[in-house]
Amino acid sequence: MITLTREHLEQTIERVIQRIRDMSGSIAETAPIGIISMENWEWPQGVGLFALHGYYRETGDRRLLDFLTDWFDARIAEGLPDKNVNTMCPMLTLTYLAEETGRPDYLDLCREWLDYVLNEMPRTEEGGLQHEVTGSANEGQLWDDTLYMTVLFVARMGVLLRDEICIQESVRQFLVHLKYLTDPSTGLFFHGWTFHEGGHHFAKALWARGNCWYTAGLVDYLDMIKLPEGVRGFLLSSLRRQANKLLELQSAEGAWHTLLNEPESYLETSATAAFAYGLLKGYRRGYLNESDRDAALRALDYVLTQIDGDGVVHGVSYGTGMGRTLREYRDIPICPMPYGQSMTLLLLVEALKNGIGAGEPNSGFASGQGEGADRHG
């Protein structure tokens, strides 16, 4: 186990944040909209913005608030891209800025994009949000990414507007996606499902980052809204079953492979950080066990080894479309990405909240009971 101090964690956080802010392309992009540079408006930038705002909420550092408002003002002035599942992701952070700044233009934009989700975004059978993205309609397809990229925004708008329709829509999307994407034999999630071609899970990929959107997203979703106990219990049971399998599949290094059940596929840092974040926060909230916390701390050790002296997080896979073969997932290139930085940031901040950094090995920390009342045996 790595011995950490709070000072070391805070210094690492500052370096990671700086790299989010100035992230730029390092490979030839294949996505229709650039997904590396922070000057673009897409889902990787949205994930980065959410992590930055979370750290701002913790620290009150006005420099971060200024960066966020400057970022949105610049993108809005440039003109926003077409609305779809992935371009919706930055709107989650804008809901918080609209509330904090009181700016009516921010709130109006949030309302406009919410209206698109509720009334215009393409749907699959059973009312699921079709994973339409820039350059591809993905007709009839459900992807696990959608919950993080769009559904969290819908839930947050429900809270902001006190609109029960939004809350219930977010619940429906979680339930529909879990119905079609859960692998009943493992409790993990397939990357996608199509209602076409007789219905199937494409390559049946148990893709790490797709899975981590649930692990990291659910713990934040439950912070946003109060759910009926039956729904809340169902979502948490899915988290617990997923966590049990994750512990079984964690590598000796403390990380997870990009195809979770294929040890020959490479270890992937963004998913590892997001899994560790969800497990560690889940423990603190009382949803998970000490074994889950211990796995998260092993993952934290691994993630720290992937951060270089400049704060760049390595071992992160590029954006990953729906694969028809497992080989397509194994061959995704690796390069620094905004979501690698941001998932690492979320993990490091959560580590501080768990009391890690008092100068002892990680395994000696956070051994007390979590905040919630959901600790299970």
Side-chain angles (χ1 to χ4, degrees), residues 55-303:
Y55 193 51
Y56 162 70
R57 294 200 306 270
E58 289 299 313
T59 64
D61 186 341
R62 297 286 301 187
R63 294 174 300 170
L64 291 175
L65 181 62
D66 291 342
F67 172 81
L68 292 168
T69 55
D70 288 348
W71 187 92
F72 277 101
D73 290 345
R75 304 292 85 75
I76 292 168
E78 293 165 357
L80 301 187
D82 291 340
K83 302 177 182 70
N84 60 50
V85 167
N86 282 349
T87 58
M88 201 66 58
C89 188
M91 300 304 296
L92 175 59
T93 301
L94 193 60
T95 66
Y96 290 99
L97 296 181
E99 183 176 44
E100 179 151 358
T101 65
R103 286 180 51 170
D105 57 332
Y106 283 179
L107 184 57
D108 288 345
L109 192 61
C110 289
R111 289 180 182 273
E112 175 191 329
W113 284 58
L114 174 67
D115 182 72
Y116 177 81
V117 178
L118 297 180
N119 300 308
E120 298 182 53
M121 185 171 279
R123 302 284 176 135
T124 67
E125 295 176 33
E126 299 194 35
L129 293 175
Q130 179 176 302
H131 194 81
E132 182 182 35
V133 299
T134 304
S136 181
N138 294 324
E139 187 174 350
Q141 296 180 20
L142 297 174
W143 294 25
D144 44 19
D145 318 44
T146 303
L147 294 175
Y148 202 99
M149 305 311 160
T150 291
V151 177
L152 292 184
F153 163 64
V154 173
R156 171 65 186 152
M157 285 298 288
V159 174
L160 188 59
L161 302 179
R162 296 183 175 85
D163 187 341
E164 188 63 20
I165 291 176
C166 295
I167 300 296
Q168 294 306 318
E169 180 62 24
S170 73
V171 169
R172 174 165 70 152
Q173 293 306 321
F174 266 90
L175 297 182
V176 170
H177 280 75
L178 288 181
K179 176 179 179 179
Y180 284 98
L181 298 180
T182 301
D183 173 19
S185 66
T186 64
L188 300 173
F189 305 113
F190 294 115
H191 187 183
W193 166 266
T194 179
F195 286 96
H196 295 177
E197 305 170 16
H200 60 79
H201 289 111
F202 299 93
K204 296 185 178 180
L206 299 174
W207 176 48
R209 194 160 60 241
N211 270 263
C212 84
W213 296 131
Y214 187 78
T215 322
L218 181 66
V219 293
D220 288 335
Y221 180 60
L222 295 179
D223 273 359
M224 290 177 192
I225 65 174
K226 182 174 178 58
L227 294 171
E229 190 55 39
V231 174
R232 183 173 180 272
F234 176 78
L235 296 179
L236 282 173
S237 71
S238 295
L239 175 66
R240 288 164 182 159
R241 188 147 187 258
Q242 183 200 39
N244 289 340
K245 192 64 177 179
L246 288 175
L247 267 60
E248 179 183 326
L249 295 174
Q250 189 174 23
S251 74
E253 296 89 341
W256 283 274
H257 297 269
T258 197
L259 290 170
L260 289 168
N261 58 339
E262 290 202 5
E264 66 272 22
S265 65
Y266 57 77
L267 298 175
E268 207 283 325
T269 308
S270 70
T272 295
F275 284 139
Y277 168 73
L279 294 175
L280 203 55
K281 182 170 181 176
Y283 175 78
R284 181 169 60 85
R285 288 298 191 205
Y287 308 146
L288 298 173
N289 287 327
E290 289 190 20
S291 58
D292 302 300
R293 177 214 62 194
D294 292 342
L297 296 182
R298 290 194 295 275
L300 171 63
D301 280 347
Y302 176 82
V303 170

Side-chain angles (χ1 to χ4, degrees), residues 347-368:
L347 171 59
L348 296 176
V349 174
E350 183 60 34
L352 289 177
K353 290 183 180 180
N354 276 262
I356 298 165
E360 298 292 337
N362 287 355
S363 57
F365 289 94
S367 60

